[in-house]
Amino acid sequence: MSFAFSAKPLRTLRLKSLQDMPDFSNVIPPHIRKLVETDQSKPLKQSRSAAKPIALNLNENPFGPSPLALKALKSAIEEVHRYPEIHALDLHEEIAAFHGVQPEQVLITAGATEFLCIIARVLLASGLNAVTSARSFIVYKLATQVTEGKLIEVRTRDNGYDLDAIGAAINADTRIVFISNPNNPTGTLLTAEEIDLFAKTLPDHVLLVLDEAYGDFAAAFAKQRHVNYSHALDYVRADRNIIILKTFSKAHGLAGLRVGYGIGPARLISVFAQARSIFSVSSVAQAAALAALHDAAHIRTAAQNNSEQADVVSSALERLGYEIPITWANFIFCDVGTNAAGFAESLQSHGVVVQPLGMWGAPNAIRISIGTPEQNHLFLKAFEAVVQSVRS
Ligand SMILES: Cc1ncc(COP(=O)(O)O)c(C=O)c1O
């Protein structure tokens, strides 16, 4: 009986020909259709290539992964037939203890990028908006454009965030303010005092997303330059509407493994946790991150090299006549005064990959990650050669 019953609807479901197929694009929401039509999804240039150029385009750790993480990875690899621990409990506890917060105030995701996408998906809808600055982290745009919400990008001030302009752009429909501190790609910093003043003005219907992906580098510069970098964890402890984002992709050297996390009040974390992709943080990523969290030596090496080499590279570029904003991160923003895509291509022909910033609204600027002393030396040689050919 049941066989006869189930066979019938199957047969009637079969389409007569391809022409009878309804146009599926009619059921795709218009904001997604627009993305497909204007396809901006050109992949970013990756560091891998047959000729192994020097990759200074994605702000990775030039010293490679944390050695402690590598060791942990090697033993975790034996267990990859098992699913990862679904809530990454051990890593949650370690991260919480590391920052002096509760495990319920932490959510681990597949890179800070996954957290950004979750925030946009959960909080934005038609008629609502998020506010950020022009020339900031490209994922704020990518994460919001797949929602029906809108991203408002205010003008920059001195190559960085203009908090007055952000404040003025916030309205009753604003749900998120994204702040990259330091800012990618310009490298500028907002001090703890500036963020304090700004945070006080935020209405209750707005979530402040403080993206501290480059926090380890900024903290090292801040110590050296006698500036207060961040005390954002105090906002979490005071139960403010804030999510602080961190990542293992930069100073810890684990970009390829995709692990990041957000810290915020438990009442907010529990909401965003509902929208996390199931099993998005792999078992090997969890094991490596756990080890890297405590690899203070590796982080110190990266941050120290970065502070010293930022000066070396910036001064060399300034001597060549370029104006370089002081960086607080592991990269340098440089307006090359000519088409940056072409300039970057010429650099690539000299074996160095940098990021041209056309997509960031800066068609004449490049972003150069700070490498090891040897890499920076080779970059500067290549840069000089390109400048000479541009100027001659
Ligand atoms: C400002 C900023 N936030 C977040 C990230 C994302 O890091 P993840 O690799 O953890 O997704 C990056 C990566 O470049 C970044 O520049």
Side-chain angles (χ1 to χ4, degrees):
M1 274 280 283
S2 60
F3 284 149
F5 183 75
S6 63
K8 206 168 178 197
L10 259 186
R11 217 175 297 134
T12 52
L13 262 179
R14 208 167 288 143
L15 292 163
K16 288 186 211 106
S17 74
L18 217 54
Q19 280 77 36
D20 295 331
M21 295 253 293
D23 179 0
F24 195 72
S25 66
N26 290 335
V27 296
I28 308 278
H31 66 287
I32 301 290
R33 233 179 310 153
K34 192 169 133 214
L35 289 179
V36 178
E37 281 154 14
T38 56
D39 190 9
Q40 303 153 350
S41 62
K42 273 194 216 110
L44 291 176
K45 278 206 179 98
Q46 296 289 315
S47 10
R48 66 181 98 82
S49 140
K52 275 258 177 220
I54 298 170
L56 300 180
N57 58 330
L58 292 174
N59 312 333
E60 297 148 338
N61 186 327
F63 297 100
S66 141
L68 295 187
L70 273 186
K71 201 163 157 231
L73 264 179
K74 281 178 191 148
S75 72
I77 206 103
E78 302 285 336
E79 293 292 316
V80 290
H81 58 298
R82 305 272 181 216
Y83 278 94
E85 209 289 296
I86 192 162
H87 296 302
L89 285 178
D90 289 351
L91 187 54
H92 262 89
E93 279 178 11
E94 291 284 328
I95 288 173
F98 186 84
H99 291 290
V101 296
Q102 299 303 311
E104 305 77 56
Q105 294 175 313
V106 176
L107 180 65
I108 299 165
T109 48
T113 298
E114 188 192 15
F115 210 133
L116 286 166
C117 294
I118 291 172
I119 291 171
R121 230 170 36 236
V122 167
L123 293 184
L124 295 180
S126 177
L128 302 178
N129 67 68
V131 182
T132 192
S133 174
R135 298 188 178 183
S136 190
F137 185 38
I138 198 86
V139 170
Y140 305 153
K141 190 194 266 173
L142 303 179
T144 50
Q145 70 187 6
V146 290
T147 73
E148 288 192 79
K150 189 169 120 192
L151 182 67
I152 299 171
E153 293 174 285
V154 306
R155 62 169 190 269
T156 54
R157 183 163 62 194
D158 301 330
N159 283 308
Y161 273 72
D162 180 341
L163 292 179
D164 294 333
I166 293 206
I170 293 172
N171 58 33
D173 299 324
T174 303
R175 292 292 175 271
I176 309 166
V177 169
F178 290 117
I179 291 190
S180 169
N181 197 34
N183 185 38
N184 175 10
T186 58
T188 51
L189 187 91
L190 292 164
T191 62
E193 293 78 16
E194 287 171 309
I195 298 275
D196 275 349
L197 283 178
F198 175 71
K200 274 194 197 126
T201 67
L202 283 179
D204 289 343
H205 61 269
V206 174
L207 174 74
L208 174 61
V209 178
L210 209 45
D211 183 344
E212 297 188 348
Y214 301 97
D216 292 299
F217 303 108
F221 280 124
K223 206 166 161 198
Q224 183 190 325
R225 295 170 184 167
H226 308 292
V227 164
N228 288 327
Y229 165 46
S230 169
H231 52 228
L233 287 169
D234 292 343
Y235 305 148
V236 174
R237 295 185 193 108
D239 197 33
R240 305 278 289 275
N241 291 338
I242 185 169
I243 296 289
I244 307 162
L245 293 180
K246 307 266 184 190
T247 180
F248 287 94
S249 297
K250 306 300 175 185
H252 305 79
L254 301 182
L257 283 178
R258 314 303 306 124
V259 207
Y261 56 98
I263 307 175
R267 66 186 159 82
L268 296 176
I269 290 292
S270 64
V271 174
F272 296 124
Q274 304 310 312
R276 189 171 73 88
S277 298
I278 320 290
F279 293 124
S280 70
V281 183
S282 72
S283 53
V284 284
Q286 290 181 33
L290 197 61
L293 185 68
H294 298 294
D295 199 342
H298 192 62
I299 295 168
R300 209 170 30 246
T301 302
Q304 205 168 323
N305 171 75
N306 193 66
S307 301
E308 289 161 13
Q309 290 295 306
D311 244 9
V312 171
V313 179
S314 300
S315 318
L317 294 176
E318 280 164 357
R319 279 196 298 277
L320 289 168
Y322 296 90
E323 210 174 295
I324 306 297
I326 292 174
T327 187
W328 295 80
N330 65 343
F331 50 82
I332 284 166
F333 178 87
C334 177
D335 188 328
V336 289
T338 181
N339 179 280
F343 196 97
E345 237 168 72
S346 306
L347 275 174
Q348 193 161 357
S349 69
H350 286 81
V352 182
V353 186
V354 300
Q355 186 63 54
L357 298 172
M359 258 171 77
W360 283 251
N364 286 354
I366 57 173
R367 186 191 64 206
I368 310 127
S369 308
I370 296 161
T372 61
E374 299 73 29
Q375 291 173 334
N376 297 332
H377 175 71
L378 292 170
F379 158 72
L380 288 168
K381 258 175 71 177
F383 190 94
E384 270 190 60
V386 173
V387 168
Q388 261 174 19
S389 70
V390 168
R391 288 180 182 166
S392 60

